[in-house]
Amino acid sequence: MWRATLRSLQAHKLRLALSGLAIVLGVAFVSGTMIFTDTLSRTFTDLFQTTAADVTVQPKAAFDIGLTGTGGSAAPSTMPASDVERIAAVDGVDAVVGDVQTEGVYVLDKDGKVVSTGGAPGVGMNWTDDRSVTAAVLTEGRGPQRAGEVALDTGTVEKTGHRVGDTVQVLTPGPRITAQLVGIFKFGEDGGLAGASLTAFDTATAQQLIGQPGRFTDAAVSAADGVGNDELKRRISAALGSQYDVKTQQEQAHDLAVAMSESLRFLNVFLLVFAGVALFVGTFIILNTFAMLVAQRTRELALLRALGANRGQITRSVLGEALVLGVLGSTVGLAAGLGIAAGLRGLFATFGLTLDGGLVFAADTVLWSYAVGVVVTLVAAYLPARRAAKVPPVAAMQDDFGTSERSLRRRTVIGLVLAAGGAGSLIAGRLTQDGDTAAAWTSAGAAGLVLGAVALSPVLARPFLRTAGAVLPLVWGRFGRLARDNAARNPRRTAATASALMVGLALVTGFSIMGSSTKASVDALIDQGLRAEFVISTTVGQPFTPEVAKRVSAVPGVAAVMQHRFGSAMIAGEGAYLTAVDADMLDRVVDLDYLAGSTAGLSGGGMLVDERTADAHGWSLGEEVAVLLPNGTRLTPRIGGIYRANQIVGSDVVDMRAYEAAGGTALDQYVYVDVAEDANTADVRAALGQVTAAYPVVTLKDQGEFKAELRGQVDQLLLLIDALLALSVLIAALGITNTLTLAVIERTREIGLLRAIGTARRQIRRMVLLEAVITSVYGALLGLALGLIFGVSLTHALAGQGIDVLSVPTGRLILFLVVAALIGLVAALWPARRAARLRLLDAIATT
């Protein structure tokens, strides 16, 4: 039987090739994702391992804020110089140095442009020459020793073209600094920083950047000879007490690596979801392929039964073919995954995130790739294998034997149950007030509807083909009718082919509606909620110096300037973002719809909350709320106002002065500018442009440009999603090609008879092409309908997150339908050509 299986594979290798491609693409995406994320993790793990001191001492944060850094959070917890001296006095300490680090430090190149870091931080630090406690090694010049001197890492120097002795401009969270470049250094063993930029200052200047002279963000300690890191950690902990976190080199590197992995987990999940979609779509192709091969090999399999093969052997024979296909597809997919991972690394490098070293090819990547590819193939081939074993030996050897079409009753019941369950989940999501729960119900409901549609698609195929297919005979005559009848001949096959396209298109449609609704919600929010004419923010998403707001306030014609800050906090025991604004300017700049209280409630250290937050906690006006900042400061503001949700200010708002006094960072995330009624807006903009020109990291935008910037971010995300989902559409196109190719082989004699009665080659081609188009349109319409339900439901579920305007991109959906028809047309070109080129006599003689 195994020899028969291998011979069958050889005989049908071309027919199985396209099914193998589906496995190759799906596995390539899985393996490529795993290789890339492993490489990403290795880069940061090596960086943390090589740069951590023997022991690191840090002030203990009130709660875990992950790898958010200092930007946009509370001001960093710091330690006084006296505690650094206490550490130095501990027995077993060879050397200790106080470190200062802050984010939001960017170097300008020779053209005055900000050096791109691709989303990686621009870090400012103090310089030390003690090699035992620092990973920075000079490659040229010397370290900064006084104000007005800086040293840069090798990567930043390469990007800017600066040399030792040049005068450089540095943007900081505080003032802009003009300094002389006195040194160039390599950080770590290979100098790799994953795109980050490092600027070193003398200690006093670095402390000014964090606004805390004489204090340090942490202390790096090296152990004396003969003293282990664990023992030194114990001694330092005993000397300092519980207010500090003391970690060994291994613990520091591990904790930072874990935090980085957590922050990057979304990327891994994001990519693997699309790999899963591709594999799910691929199962339809594999199922269709094996079902058709089994049908075409009925006499061959029956002969094996007649020669003594039992049902189990027949089943195992077909599954053996699937196993070989799965292994080969997984092997090729694994190799292709290396290419995908290399492409992703190159893509990230263009954004500034450089991953050093070779790609990480771990054992679990190999195991998962083969497991996924083989299991998906075997599962998809199982039902055709079972069906093959049930063929009666004697009856199958008759010339006129054909496999009977099974009833769709069971499939209809299953489909209706799944669809009903999906509809129930969608209704539950619509009735749920909590945004996360509603989104979960909606996603489950969408999955149920998709599975229900897959089950019901053969039932729906015949009425669709009878109605929509009626157009084909009217336009293309009897060959249009033949195309329609061929598609309706086997509704299971047509449905499986269409379902592959349906799944991908349903997701594309749903996300398109989400994206369009998000952009419409952004437009409505700014049009209705923002009174300011201009917005100032950074191009890299980092907070910036309040000097900008101070200078903007002095511009003639400016009526109001509101600074907007935010940071991490624990509010009533739950993690949240706390917004800090200038209370005096809030009503001038933002239109808040108060249900109780007013902006005056911010006075005296009060807090404003939105309606959903107040309802979730059961808060009312005048009630005290417990707020904890990362630096350990505890606040108990009273609720001075409750407003309808407004994404401009978020859900929890305090006065900027109270926030800064409690230790909140004195850096702005946004600055909103309102122009006086009697001022010329164009003149004011020109003056504001002169102010922001001195700070290349910030940009000035009017409301229209601000909306366009936010819409552009949504479009980038949609472009990425569409590009990834294009993989599933490509697999669907392969499915159409594969199905029609097998159908042409199956109908060889029939095509020969058509040719014998005078049908031209071009008419045969047209018949096959029309069959592909109507199958594609069927799948597209199902996908559009499901995507419409999913998109509308998800938009409603996320109304509490600010997506409260429903927008259906009708033109885009029509384009999807047209593209789907074209996909069917293009996918059918080769099968149609093959059908038209069949030799008449050979085709008629085929049994």
Side-chain angles (χ1 to χ4, degrees):
M1 286 302 297
W2 279 111
R3 284 198 298 271
T5 299
L6 294 176
R7 287 173 181 169
S8 176
L9 278 169
Q10 266 191 316
H12 304 109
K13 54 183 179 292
L14 291 178
R15 305 184 194 184
L16 293 169
L18 290 177
S19 296
L21 272 178
I23 295 299
V24 168
L25 291 174
V27 170
F29 223 83
V30 171
S31 61
T33 298
M34 296 184 72
I35 292 170
F36 176 71
T37 52
D38 285 345
T39 303
L40 198 63
S41 177
R42 190 275 317 274
T43 297
F44 287 107
T45 300
D46 289 352
L47 176 63
F48 297 143
Q49 188 69 44
T50 58
T51 58
D54 291 342
V55 174
T56 301
V57 182
Q58 297 171 311
K60 187 172 292 185
F63 55 89
D64 182 21
I65 58 174
L67 287 176
T68 59
T70 60
S73 182
S77 299
T78 57
M79 59 193 306
S82 58
D83 283 348
V84 177
E85 295 172 359
R86 289 171 61 193
I87 296 171
V90 173
D91 183 35
V93 171
D94 179 57
V96 60
V97 64
D99 287 334
V100 181
Q101 286 193 8
T102 184
E103 292 186 11
V105 177
Y106 297 94
V107 180
L108 304 184
D109 63 18
K110 291 185 175 182
D111 296 325
K113 297 179 180 178
V114 179
V115 173
S116 172
T117 61
V123 178
M125 55 181 277
N126 65 321
W127 178 263
T128 178
D129 289 311
D130 193 336
R131 287 290 310 278
S132 66
V133 290
T134 182
V137 181
L138 282 170
T139 60
E140 188 177 347
R142 60 174 175 83
Q145 300 171 350
R146 61 186 65 87
E149 295 180 347
V150 296
L152 301 176
D153 72 272
T154 52
T156 301
V157 168
E158 185 178 340
K159 292 177 183 177
T160 61
H162 288 312
R163 297 181 179 180
V164 171
D166 287 354
T167 298
V168 299
Q169 300 291 320
V170 183
L171 302 179
T172 75
R176 177 170 176 161
I177 293 176
T178 301
Q180 183 184 20
L181 178 61
V182 298
I184 300 171
F185 62 91
K186 179 177 69 173
F187 198 77
E189 292 181 359
D190 57 8
L193 290 170
S197 172
L198 293 184
T199 305
F201 304 88
D202 65 285
T203 297
T205 301
Q207 289 172 333
Q208 290 174 5
L209 294 182
I210 64 172
Q212 301 190 51
R215 299 183 71 88
F216 301 92
T217 52
D218 63 73
V221 186
S222 66
D225 292 340
V227 180
N229 291 350
D230 291 327
E231 174 60 21
L232 185 58
K233 169 189 171 180
R234 186 190 63 78
R235 296 177 186 179
I236 294 174
S237 298
L240 294 181
S242 60
Q243 70 268 35
Y244 288 102
D245 277 329
V246 184
K247 298 178 182 179
T248 64
Q249 181 185 47
Q250 293 76 14
E251 291 171 341
Q252 178 77 347
H254 175 267
D255 290 350
L256 289 174
V258 168
M260 180 60 70
S261 296
E262 288 294 324
S263 66
L264 294 173
R265 178 173 293 180
F266 81 95
L267 178 63
N268 195 27
V269 173
F270 183 76
L271 294 174
L272 286 176
V273 163
F274 289 100
V277 171
L279 287 167
F280 179 64
V281 170
T283 59
F284 295 111
I285 300 177
I286 299 166
L287 188 150
N288 237 8
T289 301
F290 277 94
M292 295 179 75
L293 287 177
V294 165
Q296 292 172 18
R297 294 166 53 200
T298 297
R299 296 185 66 188
E300 173 191 330
L301 295 172
L303 180 60
L304 290 173
R305 290 289 312 280
L307 293 174
N310 59 38
R311 288 189 174 189
Q313 288 176 310
I314 296 296
T315 300
R316 287 192 293 273
S317 175
V318 176
L319 289 178
E321 295 180 30
L323 176 64
V324 173
L325 179 65
V327 171
L328 291 176
S330 298
T331 303
V332 178
L334 192 59
L338 284 169
I340 290 178
L344 287 171
R345 184 170 66 171
L347 177 64
F348 275 70
T350 62
F351 295 127
L353 180 57
T354 305
L355 303 183
D356 304 293
L359 295 172
V360 177
F361 197 69
D364 61 341
T365 299
V366 178
L367 292 175
W368 275 109
S369 296
Y370 278 105
V372 167
V374 171
V375 169
V376 166
T377 309
L378 289 177
V379 168
Y382 179 72
L383 288 178
R386 286 287 304 276
R387 201 172 302 138
K390 294 179 181 179
V391 175
V394 176
M397 286 187 286
Q398 300 172 3
D399 286 341
D400 59 348
F401 179 80
T403 55
S404 59
E405 184 70 21
R406 291 173 293 122
S407 171
L408 294 173
R409 182 178 303 170
R410 180 187 299 177
R411 190 158 179 166
T412 302
V413 172
I414 293 174
L416 290 175
V417 170
L418 288 171
S425 295
L426 291 178
I427 293 172
R430 193 170 182 84
L431 298 176
T432 302
Q433 295 299 316
D434 179 70
D436 292 339
T437 304
W441 276 113
T442 301
S443 299
L449 283 181
V450 168
L451 293 175
V454 169
L456 289 171
S457 54
V459 182
L460 301 173
R462 278 177 173 156
F464 170 81
L465 294 171
R466 279 197 302 268
T467 53
V471 176
L472 299 183
L474 296 177
V475 179
W476 286 283
R478 63 191 178 99
F479 296 101
R481 184 174 64 253
L482 283 173
R484 180 196 62 189
D485 294 344
N486 284 335
R489 179 185 300 184
N490 191 325
R492 280 187 171 84
R493 180 186 304 171
T494 300
T497 306
S499 293
L501 184 60
M502 174 194 74
V503 173
L505 203 54
L507 291 172
V508 172
T509 300
F511 284 117
S512 294
I513 294 172
M514 270 295 302
S516 180
S517 299
T518 300
K519 291 188 286 186
S521 300
V522 166
D523 289 349
L525 174 66
I526 294 174
D527 290 337
Q528 300 169 15
L530 186 63
R531 293 170 175 166
E533 276 86 356
F534 298 105
V535 180
I536 299 173
S537 61
T538 67
T539 56
V540 290
Q542 288 287 330
F544 53 94
T545 174
E547 290 292 323
V548 175
K550 183 178 179 180
R551 292 186 59 185
V552 164
S553 299
V555 171
V558 170
V561 175
M562 188 186 83
Q563 296 164 265
H564 180 181
R565 303 169 181 176
F566 62 79
S568 302
M570 293 290 288
I571 301 177
E574 297 180 0
Y577 273 109
L578 187 63
T579 298
V581 299
D582 186 344
D584 297 334
M585 298 295 175
L586 181 58
D587 287 340
R588 299 280 300 273
V589 172
V590 181
D591 186 9
L592 289 180
D593 184 8
Y594 284 100
L595 302 174
S598 66
T599 302
L602 286 174
S603 62
M607 185 169 78
L608 309 177
V609 298
D610 68 11
E611 181 183 13
R612 285 179 176 269
T613 302
D615 290 344
H617 292 280
W619 292 338
S620 58
L621 207 63
E623 190 168 342
E624 284 190 348
V625 177
V627 178
L628 175 64
L629 299 183
N631 61 6
T633 302
R634 296 182 181 275
L635 306 175
T636 54
R638 292 184 181 275
I639 295 178
I642 300 174
Y643 55 90
R644 296 191 190 279
N646 188 304
Q647 297 301 311
I648 294 176
V649 296
S651 59
D652 305 275
V653 183
V654 296
D655 181 53
M656 184 177 70
R657 289 175 287 272
Y659 177 68
E660 191 172 336
T665 183
L667 300 173
D668 298 329
Q669 198 74 31
Y670 296 97
V671 170
Y672 302 100
V673 184
D674 191 30
V675 178
E677 292 184 3
D678 58 349
N680 185 292
T681 303
D683 292 341
V684 173
R685 173 161 192 160
L688 292 174
Q690 292 178 355
V691 172
T692 57
Y695 304 88
V697 76
V698 304
T699 57
L700 172 69
K701 302 165 280 283
D702 60 25
Q703 283 199 11
E705 292 166 334
F706 188 42
K707 288 189 290 187
E709 181 180 84
L710 297 177
R711 288 197 302 265
Q713 295 172 4
V714 177
D715 286 335
Q716 287 180 348
L717 180 59
L718 284 178
L719 182 62
L720 176 61
I721 292 173
D722 287 349
L724 293 171
L725 287 174
L727 177 64
S728 64
V729 176
L730 172 62
I731 293 175
L734 291 175
I736 295 171
T737 302
N738 200 31
T739 301
L740 288 177
T741 300
L742 292 173
V744 167
I745 295 172
E746 184 179 80
R747 301 201 296 259
T748 297
R749 188 177 186 182
E750 178 183 318
I751 293 171
L753 291 173
L754 287 172
R755 291 292 315 284
I757 61 174
T759 304
R761 293 180 186 269
R762 57 183 173 79
Q763 293 172 320
I764 296 293
R765 281 197 299 269
R766 183 182 303 162
M767 178 183 70
V768 176
L769 291 174
L770 289 176
E771 181 181 351
V773 169
I774 195 169
T775 301
S776 299
V777 170
Y778 175 55
L781 288 175
L782 281 178
L784 289 173
L786 290 172
L788 186 64
I789 295 171
F790 173 56
V792 171
S793 300
L794 191 57
T795 298
H796 182 273
L798 296 177
Q801 309 299 319
I803 307 176
D804 50 9
V805 177
L806 177 63
S807 174
V808 178
T810 307
R812 187 179 175 90
L813 301 190
I814 294 174
L815 177 63
F816 288 161
L817 183 61
V818 173
V819 170
L822 290 175
I823 287 173
L825 193 65
V826 172
L829 288 176
W830 182 53
R833 184 171 180 270
R834 181 186 177 98
R837 290 168 64 91
L838 288 175
R839 294 182 179 180
L840 191 152
L841 294 179
D842 290 343
I844 293 175
T846 301
T847 57

